[in-house]
Amino acid sequence: MKIAKRVLVYGMGLSGQAVCKLLHKHGVCVSFYDDENRFGNFFNFDKEPTRHHYDMVVVSPGIKVIGNQIISHFVINKTPIYSELDIGFMFCRGRFVGITGTNGKTTTTSLVGKIFSEAGKDNIVCGNIGLPIASVCEKAGSKTYLITEVSNFQLELSRVFSCQTACILNIAPDHLDRHGSMAEYVRVKRKILSNKKSQKVILNFDDEYSKGSKISKKNLYFSKNILNKGVFIKNNAIYYNKTKIISLNDIPLLGEKNLENVLASVAIAIANKIKPRFIKSAIMSFKPPAHRLEFLGKFNGALVYDDSKATNLPSVEGALKALNGGNILILMGGRNKDLDFDDFFRKGYKLTQVLCFGEAGQEIYHSAKKFNYEALLFDKMIDACEYVKECAVENMIILLSPACASFDEFASYAVRGEQFKEYIFGQGKITQKD
């Protein structure tokens, strides 16, 4: 396909690198810029991008848009700005299944991919889950489904990306430091809906923002409560209208949040005409991705869970409801995303201790103390883990559920989770998970 002659790629994470390779392959003159100085000596690095003319700018999802002078420069000069989603979409012949939401995207995307594979449908699991669309777009044939985790960062600057099936799992306060307001965050999330009559739209009937995203008789809703039509729970099982899909006892995932993920996955599969037997088989054999309320094993008799992916308060609340225990020692901290911890602590969750660490540690500590929780403040996560190893006892639950981004100490939530595992299980009496 034809594309602009001179393109600037802004941001050299995995997405930016994939875009550079794809465009270069098609004969485009590609330059790139990144806020980190370590790329300064690379070939085609543009140290002063605002001094040069470009036909198009592609902005990686890791780049903050609001207040960005470089992006503002190109907007003022009416240079077309696209996201990595757009570029991958432009070069792809496949069918996109887009999944977004504040929580549950990765688990749902992974499960949907497994269901499609079980049904024999050619698919590629990609997007925010770790595999940029630009790196796989040309591998897809006309009958390939691209099961795509779509983040708000990816949607923010998207112009042409569209998917045949779109799902909004839920929308709760998150990334307000990036978008400036809840209204803007919701607007960005809803960009996944193309308003094309042919688009299949999956919405969460139990979530105010998801349910209200689009008014159409063709919407397929899912709910933990009985619906007149849709995917819902009845008699301890998931149903699609009058058809039983799977008993709740056969679902290996833990907690209400994961139950929502399963309901959404069933609805997406139904919308794409996958038979119930394939859906049930895939769910029963599914193992959740790491760092999402992952049971790591026992340390000195205490149960240890890694929920490093919980980078906002609704995720933490979901974890606590799933564990449903009274003797929980929780580790919280990292970089706050303009979330109000008072809203969380005033709900009165049963927590034995709150171990606070990182940039937001002091803020979390003061909020916890305000609501009479026993809280301790640590400089870094490793310091909190050393304390955990000293006080871990039988029947205690140790939960890393930070409610914050990882970027004050770690490159990602995954790195944070792996470090947590290493810190806890480096020494002491260990019983690894089965």
Side-chain angles (χ1 to χ4, degrees):
M1 66 168 291
K2 292 183 179 180
I3 201 164
K5 293 181 179 179
R6 296 197 68 207
V7 176
L8 175 72
V9 177
Y10 183 5
M12 281 301 286
L14 291 177
S15 295
Q17 293 174 38
V19 169
C20 285
K21 291 177 182 177
L22 178 63
L23 295 180
H24 179 72
K25 175 183 174 182
H26 286 270
V28 177
C29 179
V30 183
S31 298
F32 73 92
Y33 176 80
D34 192 281
D35 295 322
E36 291 190 25
N37 293 327
R38 63 191 178 95
F39 294 102
N41 293 323
F42 280 52
F43 179 71
N44 273 15
F45 179 84
D46 188 346
K47 294 181 180 180
E48 298 180 284
T50 57
R51 297 187 64 181
H52 303 120
H53 169 76
Y54 289 100
D55 301 312
M56 175 193 293
V57 176
V58 183
V59 180
S60 298
I63 303 301
K64 187 174 181 178
V65 175
I66 296 177
N68 190 306
Q69 294 182 353
I70 293 176
I71 294 176
S72 296
H73 166 83
F74 288 112
V75 169
I76 292 170
N77 285 276
K78 298 182 179 180
T79 304
I81 299 176
Y82 291 84
S83 72
E84 181 261 338
L85 280 180
D86 294 329
I87 303 303
F89 177 79
M90 291 176 187
F91 284 91
C92 188
R93 295 184 297 144
R95 310 171 187 179
F96 282 91
V97 176
I99 300 164
T100 196
T102 303
N103 297 305
K105 296 185 295 296
T106 301
T107 299
T108 304
T109 303
S110 300
L111 178 53
V112 170
K114 185 171 179 61
I115 293 172
F116 275 58
S117 294
E118 192 80 14
K121 292 183 180 290
D122 183 37
N123 72 90
I124 301 172
V125 175
C126 59
N128 192 57
I129 199 168
L131 192 61
I133 296 174
S135 69
V136 298
C137 56
E138 293 187 300
K139 299 177 183 177
S142 59
K143 294 184 178 181
T144 304
Y145 290 87
L146 289 96
I147 315 298
T148 311
E149 178 183 336
V150 184
S151 75
N152 49 299
F153 294 170
Q154 293 173 306
L155 285 168
E156 191 172 13
L157 290 175
S158 67
R159 294 163 62 105
V160 299
F161 174 74
S162 179
C163 40
Q164 283 81 357
T165 304
C167 175
I168 299 179
L169 297 169
N170 47 64
I171 304 178
D174 195 14
H175 299 298
L176 302 187
D177 58 329
R178 167 95 174 219
H179 297 296
S181 70
M182 185 65 184
E184 175 63 10
Y185 178 57
V186 172
R187 185 194 71 81
V188 169
K189 282 291 188 190
R190 287 176 174 171
K191 286 181 70 177
I192 199 169
L193 306 178
S194 66
N195 293 318
K196 293 180 179 178
K197 291 183 179 180
S198 60
Q199 188 181 49
K200 301 167 184 175
V201 177
I202 317 298
L203 300 174
N204 184 349
F205 196 84
D206 303 332
D207 183 271
E208 176 186 354
Y209 289 111
S210 176
K211 177 184 176 182
S213 294
K214 189 175 183 181
I215 301 173
S216 170
K217 293 181 179 180
K218 292 184 178 181
N219 291 352
L220 178 57
Y221 292 100
F222 63 91
S223 173
K224 296 194 290 292
N225 303 300
I226 297 175
L227 300 175
N228 291 327
K229 184 180 180 181
V231 175
F232 54 86
I233 295 173
K234 181 178 73 172
N235 299 331
N236 202 47
I238 293 178
Y239 280 79
Y240 167 59
N241 296 342
K242 295 182 179 180
T243 303
K244 181 179 177 180
I245 304 297
I246 187 172
S247 169
L248 298 190
N249 296 330
D250 291 330
I251 299 174
L253 299 174
L254 189 65
E256 282 194 17
K257 283 296 180 184
N258 272 324
L259 188 55
E260 286 186 359
N261 299 336
V262 174
L263 286 164
S265 300
V266 171
I268 292 169
I270 291 293
N272 286 279
K273 299 180 179 180
I274 294 179
K275 294 180 179 179
R277 71 174 187 272
F278 297 125
I279 300 173
K280 179 178 179 180
S281 175
I283 293 171
M284 290 180 66
S285 59
F286 180 71
K287 294 182 179 180
H291 315 300
R292 293 157 181 82
L293 200 55
E294 179 186 7
F295 176 60
L296 299 181
K298 291 184 178 181
F299 183 89
N300 292 345
L303 304 177
V304 182
Y305 289 89
D306 168 15
D307 196 33
S308 182
K309 182 63 169 68
T311 60
N312 55 58
L313 293 170
S315 290
V316 178
E317 292 177 21
L320 294 176
K321 290 174 182 177
L323 293 174
N324 194 29
N327 189 13
I328 298 178
L329 186 154
I330 188 170
L331 293 84
M332 299 178 68
R335 177 169 293 169
N336 188 10
K337 297 185 286 184
D338 286 355
L339 304 181
D340 186 351
F341 295 104
D342 283 3
D343 286 343
F344 170 75
F345 287 113
R346 68 165 49 97
K347 293 179 180 179
Y349 289 104
K350 293 182 179 179
L351 301 171
T352 302
Q353 283 185 317
V354 182
L355 307 187
C356 315
F357 64 89
E359 279 184 14
Q362 196 166 64
E363 183 180 357
I364 298 169
Y365 172 81
H366 288 303
S367 182
K369 296 290 281 187
K370 184 189 303 184
F371 293 94
N372 299 315
Y373 286 90
E374 183 179 337
L376 296 173
L377 181 60
F378 301 89
D379 184 29
K380 296 184 177 181
M381 189 178 76
I382 188 172
D383 303 320
C385 290
E386 289 300 322
Y387 175 82
V388 166
K389 291 162 72 173
E390 292 176 4
C391 68
V393 293
E394 194 82 28
N395 297 322
M396 176 184 281
I397 294 175
I398 297 169
L399 171 65
L400 170 66
S401 198
C404 296
S406 61
F407 304 123
D408 59 333
E409 282 192 70
F410 307 102
S412 67
Y413 73 82
V415 173
R416 177 170 59 189
E418 291 301 319
Q419 287 298 306
F420 173 69
K421 184 190 301 185
E422 183 177 328
Y423 292 158
I424 297 297
F425 292 118
Q427 300 175 19
K429 184 179 179 181
I430 303 171
T431 304
Q432 292 291 0
K433 62 180 178 178
D434 296 329

